[in-house]
Amino acid sequence: MSRPRSLADIGGEAALIAGGGRAILLQLAHPAVGHGVANHSDFVSRPLDRLHSTMTFVYAVVDGDRRLVDRVTRAVNASHRRVRSAEDAGTPAYDAADPALQLWVAATLYDTAIRLYERLFGALSPQLADEVYRQYALLGTTLQMPAELWPADRAAFGRYWTEMAGTLQTDAVTRDVARKLLHPTAVPRWLKAGMPLARLITAGLLNSEQRAMFDLPWSPRRQRRFDRVMRVAASVYPRLPLRLRHAPQRRYLAKLRATLR
């Protein structure tokens, strides 16, 4: 098994898609993001469309050339310009282009990806971990987040993460969005069949306080099932051919390149 050398090596791993639920729930737990999604996003009714657009953006940023990055950046920024709302009756104001919110979204993607990657492959070396951390800022700066807003190093990120964790909260609106996300109805049968496993992984990657915010059921039995799934994945997945593990990345980038012809 070849060793990762960059964000492209790590970000291209298909297994990281399994962490998407955790990242989204952590984003929803930010009051402004959660209500912004509830009021402006269609990902609950069209989850696959949202997944495809998110993966296209992430793969383009971590392993695309300048043309691909420019293409997805224009598309995302154009959609963000249409998503703004003022504070109303206790609902936080929301602006999809707000750098602080972009920072939180990028932070959830980074933290989730690294946690899941290291569960499967083991800890990164300090040098590679530092390099990948610096590169992950691209997920925010590509969307106009000022580079200086990304915490200076992993220690600073840890302090930011701890501070933000203390501000997270949910209410009936954001819990309903999470419930619909984890129990989709208008999706293909193959996706619906995989949702019990997706719910288990999503809940297992959250801590107990975060699970409680979303009323996610947990028990010693569920913990054992989650640990067993992670052990099997860590035993099997890293041994798969790299070409297979990075197949979704190649597919998304090929589709994106086709739009530029």
Side-chain angles (χ1 to χ4, degrees), residues 60 64-74 138 142 260:
D65 58 33
R66 188 69 257 170
R67 289 195 313 154
L68 298 185
V69 174
D70 289 344
R71 172 71 173 79
V72 297
T73 300
R74 287 196 302 271
L138 289 171
T142 301
L260 300 176

Side-chain angles (χ1 to χ4, degrees), residues 6-13 16 54-65 68-69 72 109 113 132 135-139 142 246 249-250 253 257:
S6 67
L7 172 59
D9 296 328
I10 293 173
E13 295 291 349
L16 299 189
T54 299
M55 298 314 301
T56 298
F57 171 75
V58 171
Y59 287 144
V61 171
V62 303
D63 200 31
D65 58 33
L68 298 185
V69 174
V72 297
L109 294 173
V132 169
Q135 293 176 7
Y136 247 99
L138 289 171
L139 292 181
T142 301
H246 283 215
Q249 180 190 55
R250 292 197 312 277
L253 292 180
R257 289 189 182 98

Side-chain angles (χ1 to χ4, degrees), residues 127-145:
Q127 296 82 3
L128 180 57
D130 287 341
E131 178 61 25
V132 169
Y133 172 73
R134 287 191 293 269
Q135 293 176 7
Y136 247 99
L138 289 171
L139 292 181
T141 57
T142 301
L143 298 180
Q144 302 177 341
M145 180 194 81

Side-chain angles (χ1 to χ4, degrees), residues 1 10 24 31 52 56 65 85-86 98-99 106 112 129 139-140 142 165-166 174 183 186-187 201 220 223 228 235-236:
M1 181 176 66
I10 293 173
I24 292 174
H52 293 329
T56 298
D65 58 33
S85 60
D98 182 339
T112 299
L139 292 181
T142 301
T174 50
H183 297 83
V187 295
I201 294 174
Q223 183 67 53
R228 187 160 56 247
S235 175
V236 174

Side-chain angles (χ1 to χ4, degrees), residues 42-52 181 184-187 191:
D42 61 355
F43 84 80
V44 169
S45 60
R46 302 171 62 188
L48 286 180
D49 289 348
R50 178 59 181 256
L51 173 64
H52 293 329
L181 171 70
T185 55
V187 295
L191 180 57

Side-chain angles (χ1 to χ4, degrees), residues 87-219:
E87 184 173 356
D88 179 41
T91 299
Y94 179 70
D95 181 348
D98 182 339
L101 301 187
Q102 292 174 347
L103 168 60
W104 177 240
V105 170
T108 64
L109 294 173
Y110 162 76
D111 187 80
T112 299
I114 294 302
R115 285 175 184 265
L116 185 52
Y117 184 92
E118 293 192 331
R119 290 287 301 248
L120 297 175
F121 291 91
L124 298 173
S125 69
Q127 296 82 3
L128 180 57
D130 287 341
E131 178 61 25
V132 169
Y133 172 73
R134 287 191 293 269
Q135 293 176 7
Y136 247 99
L138 289 171
L139 292 181
T141 57
T142 301
L143 298 180
Q144 302 177 341
M145 180 194 81
E148 61 271 17
L149 204 58
W150 188 247
D153 51 33
R154 288 189 294 142
F157 181 88
R159 294 190 293 272
Y160 164 77
W161 189 263
T162 299
E163 179 182 352
M164 288 299 300
T167 70
L168 301 180
Q169 58 183 289
T170 61
D171 57 19
V173 172
T174 50
R175 287 193 297 272
D176 184 58
V177 173
R179 180 185 61 79
K180 291 176 179 176
L181 171 70
L182 294 174
H183 297 83
T185 55
V187 295
R189 289 183 179 179
W190 64 264
L191 180 57
K192 191 174 293 188
M195 286 311 298
L197 178 60
R199 288 191 289 270
L200 176 70
I201 294 174
T202 296
L205 291 173
L206 296 170
N207 63 35
S208 58
E209 292 82 5
Q210 293 160 354
R211 287 192 290 265
M213 281 192 287
F214 288 101
D215 295 331
L216 298 180
W218 202 247
S219 65

